[in-house]
Amino acid sequence: MDILETDAYDRRHRRNVSCALFFSLVPFFLSTAAYFYLWTPDSPPSIMSAGVKSAPVLLLAAAVLGWNGGQSILGVVGGLIFSAVGDGCLIWPELFLYGMGAFAVAHLLYSISFLSSRYASYSSSGSSSWIRLLYLIVLIAGVGFYIFLYPFLLKLPNSDMLVPAVGIYVALISLMGALAIRTQHMPTLLGSLIFMVSDLSLALQVFKVMENMQHGNIIVMVTYYLAQLLIAVGDMKAVEDKDDFSKWKRS
């Protein structure tokens, strides 16, 4: 009977935690809806448009900070804040390199977070062959994509800065994707890989690899917000699941 009561308590606890997590994300969902409702891609850059674009990610950062406390500041919270800075910079084409730099810092902070002890319970079998294979696939994809982009980067007016900058960025986002695989935590893994897909879609358009796709910007932003949501939820859930894992080990 005690076991049944404990199991029922755990189910109620998980349900309550899931509801609390959902309500903490409501501001993100509302601000994302507002962004797409107000979005006018042909309008001139402005502080307001930068704020509307950055708001969902900043609200995600606030949700993770409220959930995890300060332990994620040099991790997912910091990455979300730098992502919001990058969002604002990308509103102005002349600030593209600054925006890319901000996102590069975000990927570095995500990588640091994925190496933290909060994700350790998921990475216990990280030496298995299929995990190593996924590492290899992500890293080869990153190198291959950069090689593919290289001739297009050379054609751009500021190629002397873009060629090394894009190389560093691709290396950092590939590292972030590989470390997300290491966690074996599904929201984190999916969020990181979707982030890579979003950036791939953006790069193909920004670097003139192909003509702007119909609804191309919508694809980029939908995948981008989804990726950030999954990474944030993964970090919020990692603390809860880590506690459950610790209790299981002590039992």
Side-chain angles (χ1 to χ4, degrees), residues 31-44 48-50 52-54 87 90-91 202 205 213-222 225:
S31 61
T32 302
Y35 169 78
F36 286 109
Y37 178 75
L38 298 171
W39 187 40
T40 51
D42 297 327
S43 62
M48 179 174 290
S49 58
V52 171
K53 185 181 181 184
S54 302
D87 287 333
L90 293 184
I91 290 290
L202 178 63
Q205 298 175 72
M213 299 178 291
Q214 186 179 14
H215 308 305
N217 288 330
I218 293 179
I219 294 171
V220 169
M221 293 310 299
V222 167
Y225 283 137

Side-chain angles (χ1 to χ4, degrees), residues 73-86 97-113 165 168-170 172-173 175-176 195 228:
I73 291 177
L74 292 178
V76 169
V77 170
L80 289 167
I81 291 172
F82 272 97
S83 294
V85 173
L97 278 172
Y98 294 99
M100 188 168 63
F103 278 112
V105 175
H107 296 318
L108 182 59
L109 290 172
Y110 289 155
S111 298
I112 292 171
S113 183
I168 294 170
Y169 184 86
V170 170
L172 287 173
I173 195 172
L175 175 65
M176 187 267 292
F195 208 138
Q228 296 283 32

Side-chain angles (χ1 to χ4, degrees), residues 46-150:
S46 66
I47 296 295
M48 179 174 290
S49 58
V52 171
K53 185 181 181 184
S54 302
V57 178
L58 286 174
L59 289 169
L60 270 183
V64 177
L65 186 62
W67 196 270
N68 292 350
Q71 61 181 318
S72 293
I73 291 177
L74 292 178
V76 169
V77 170
L80 289 167
I81 291 172
F82 272 97
S83 294
V85 173
D87 287 333
C89 289
L90 293 184
I91 290 290
W92 289 271
E94 62 272 21
L95 298 181
F96 178 81
L97 278 172
Y98 294 99
M100 188 168 63
F103 278 112
V105 175
H107 296 318
L108 182 59
L109 290 172
Y110 289 155
S111 298
I112 292 171
S113 183
F114 299 160
L115 286 170
S116 70
S117 60
R118 296 198 305 281
Y119 294 88
S121 61
Y122 299 101
S123 57
S124 57
S125 59
S127 59
S128 62
S129 58
W130 72 272
I131 291 294
R132 291 178 179 176
L133 177 62
L134 287 176
Y135 288 161
L136 189 60
I137 290 172
V138 168
L139 295 176
I140 289 176
V143 172
F145 183 63
Y146 180 69
I147 293 172
F148 173 74
L149 277 182
Y150 185 78

Side-chain angles (χ1 to χ4, degrees), residues 184-225:
Q184 301 181 51
H185 191 24
M186 192 55 65
T188 302
L189 172 57
L190 287 177
S192 299
L193 295 181
I194 292 172
F195 208 138
M196 296 178 73
V197 171
S198 178
D199 276 5
L200 166 66
S201 303
L202 178 63
L204 292 176
Q205 298 175 72
V206 169
F207 300 134
K208 312 301 181 184
V209 177
M210 57 188 298
E211 295 295 329
N212 287 346
M213 299 178 291
Q214 186 179 14
H215 308 305
N217 288 330
I218 293 179
I219 294 171
V220 169
M221 293 310 299
V222 167
T223 52
Y224 168 70
Y225 283 137

